[in-house]
Every structure is written in C-alpha cells, then in structure tokens.
C-alpha cells in the first residue's frame, strides 16, 4: 500500500500501523525464541544435575556419562573430557578420561602437558577457546561420508573455586550459538564441582583402604 500523498493522513496512519504490526510480530518471535532457548537450557541443567548426582564415585564413568550426553544434547559430533592429574603438583598432566563420537564410545589413551596444544593452553589460561577455523590435522570427524574437519571446536575449562579440574572439548559440523556456549560453560562449573568431590571421595576411600590394610 502506498499513500496518495504526504498529506494523506489516513494513508500515513495505515503505513504506521503496518510498521507497528511488523515490529510487534518480530518482538513476539524473538520472545518465543528466547523462551525456547531458556527451556532448552533448563531441561539440560536438570539432565546434567541428575547425571552428576548419580556418578560421583568413578571419574571414568562420570566423564563418559557427561561427554556422551553433552554430545547428544547439543547435537554435536564428538567430544572428550580431560581431567587434571595433580598427584605430582610440580608436574600436572591432563589425562583423557573419556571420549565419545557418533553414538559410540571411543577408547583412547591421551595425556597432555599443561600448555601443550589447545587443551593444555585452555587449562593454563583458564579461558574458553572457541574456534570456527580448525587447524589442519587437529581433529577429524569420522562419519559415513568419510573423515572431515569439524566446522567449530569448543574447549571449556572445568573451573570451580578458581581451580581448573579439567577441560571439556567438543566439536561439531554446526556452529554453536551464544546460548549453547553459555549453557556448556554453566554445566562446566557443575562438572568441576563434582569432579572435585569425586577426587576427594576416591582419595578418602584409598586412605581408608590403606589404613585398614595396615
């Protein structure tokens, strides 16, 4: 619709009403999208809270349950959990305790020095690393179509009380949205707290066993 002229008051009013309706529709669509994102995040928090509550006595099992569910929940393709082995405080090693890809568990043995590669750098800097341009030969996603580089790679430090307990690395053919990254960082804090408790429980059980043997 076009008004007859600039003096066409009724026509101008119709134009303004049309613009207001378009604006209102966009705002409503934005609210609906935000509600969808909030519900998705809330359901995810509930899911992982349950996982963390049920698996706090075995680091390998805990790691696998976390990464397998995170890959599926975020529609990612593969991921891994690295836990800091600080038995020797002067030589901390990041050990891969679980990795998951395309609905199957991968059994890999991988140890990384602090500062080494992206995982070691993420641990050292205590900051997330989000890449949409992946270094050649860093990681491959194996599918029915062959081996391909992922579109994006996200590494999140598992931090609790300013201590980094490990790194969660996850990759996908699809770029992560801001709300997805925020969700994974939020879950990362809960993971770190549970890892802290789990390591303490394991240490306590070990000391108790040693005491009983003595």
């Amino acid at each position: 619709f076009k008004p007859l002229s600039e003096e066409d008051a009724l026509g101008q009013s119709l134009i303004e009403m049309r613009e207001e309706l378009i604006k209102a529709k966009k705002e409503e669509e934005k609210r609906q999208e935000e509600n969808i994102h909030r519900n998705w995040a809330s359901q995810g928090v509930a899911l992982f809270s349950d996982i963390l509550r049920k698996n706090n006595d075995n680091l390998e099992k805990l790691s696998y349950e976390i990464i397998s569910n995170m890959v599926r929940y975020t529609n990612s393709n593969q991921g891994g959990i690295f836990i800091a082995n600080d038995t020797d405080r002067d030589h901390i090693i990041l050990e891969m305790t679980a990795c998951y890809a395309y609905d199957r568990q991968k059994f890999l043995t991988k140890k990384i020095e602090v500062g080494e590669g992206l995982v070691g750098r993420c641990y050292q800097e205590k900051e997330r690393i989000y890449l949409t341009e992946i270094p050649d030969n860093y990681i491959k996603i194996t599918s029915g179509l062959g081996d391909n580089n992922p579109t994006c790679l996200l590494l999140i430090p598992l931090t609790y009380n300013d201590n980094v307990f490990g790194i969660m690395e996850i990759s996908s053919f699809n770029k992560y949205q801001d709300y997805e990254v925020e969700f994974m960082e939020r879950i990362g804090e809960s993971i770190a707290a549970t890892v802290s408790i789990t390591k303490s429980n394991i240490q306590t059980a070990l000391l108790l066993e040693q005491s009983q043997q003595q």
Side-chain angles (χ1 to χ4, degrees):
F1 173 80
K2 293 182 180 180
L4 298 176
S5 68
E6 291 185 2
E7 285 75 30
D8 181 1
L10 177 59
Q12 293 295 340
S13 295
L14 288 171
I15 293 293
E16 290 175 6
M17 182 175 70
R18 181 180 66 189
E19 295 303 319
E20 288 297 323
L21 287 170
I22 291 173
K23 181 181 177 182
K25 183 184 178 187
K26 288 181 178 179
E27 289 177 351
E28 178 60 25
E29 289 174 347
K30 183 180 178 181
R31 280 195 295 270
Q32 290 178 353
E33 185 178 22
E34 289 173 348
N35 284 335
I36 290 172
H37 294 168
R38 273 195 296 270
N39 289 337
W40 177 85
S42 296
Q43 291 172 6
V45 168
L47 169 66
F48 283 95
S49 294
D50 189 51
I51 290 170
L52 295 174
R53 188 175 63 252
K54 291 179 178 178
N55 300 279
N56 57 12
D57 58 353
N58 184 300
L59 277 178
E60 285 73 22
K61 183 179 179 182
L62 172 67
S63 300
Y64 175 70
E65 289 297 325
I66 290 168
I67 201 60
S68 61
N69 281 279
M70 186 63 76
V71 167
R72 291 195 295 263
Y73 196 73
T74 58
N75 290 318
S76 299
N77 297 96
Q78 62 188 35
I81 294 282
F82 297 82
I83 299 298
N85 184 337
D86 56 359
T87 304
D88 182 354
R89 298 296 301 177
D90 296 325
H91 188 204
I92 297 174
I93 297 291
L94 295 164
E95 298 179 343
M96 178 181 277
T97 48
C99 120
Y100 186 83
Y102 271 99
D103 295 331
R104 66 178 184 272
Q105 186 173 6
K106 281 191 171 183
F107 294 94
L108 298 175
T109 301
K110 200 168 186 180
K111 296 183 179 182
I112 297 175
E113 299 278 344
V114 172
E116 178 188 359
L118 292 176
V119 172
R121 196 180 94 200
C122 183
Y123 179 88
Q124 192 173 49
E125 297 177 357
K126 299 183 179 182
E127 296 286 343
R128 79 165 184 240
I129 297 176
Y130 182 35
L131 300 178
T132 53
E133 293 183 9
I134 315 302
D136 290 337
N137 300 321
Y138 177 77
I139 189 172
K140 295 285 186 182
I141 291 179
T142 303
S143 69
L145 303 177
D147 291 344
N148 295 294
N149 279 334
T151 301
C152 66
L153 177 69
L154 178 64
L155 292 93
I156 294 176
L158 307 177
T159 307
Y160 177 65
N161 284 342
D162 204 38
N163 292 319
V164 182
F165 288 87
I167 303 295
M168 178 169 65
E169 178 185 77
I170 194 162
S171 58
S172 175
F173 286 134
N174 302 310
K175 291 184 178 180
Y176 296 115
Q177 301 300 311
D178 289 343
Y179 75 94
E180 293 175 309
V181 175
E182 290 172 5
F183 166 75
M184 285 188 269
E185 286 189 313
R186 180 180 175 185
I187 296 300
E189 294 177 7
S190 299
I191 294 171
T194 303
V195 169
S196 173
I197 294 170
T198 301
K199 292 180 75 171
S200 178
N201 289 343
I202 292 172
Q203 182 65 22
T204 300
L206 181 62
L207 291 173
L208 178 61
E209 182 180 350
Q210 290 174 347
S211 176
Q212 289 173 339
Q213 287 175 351
Q214 291 172 355

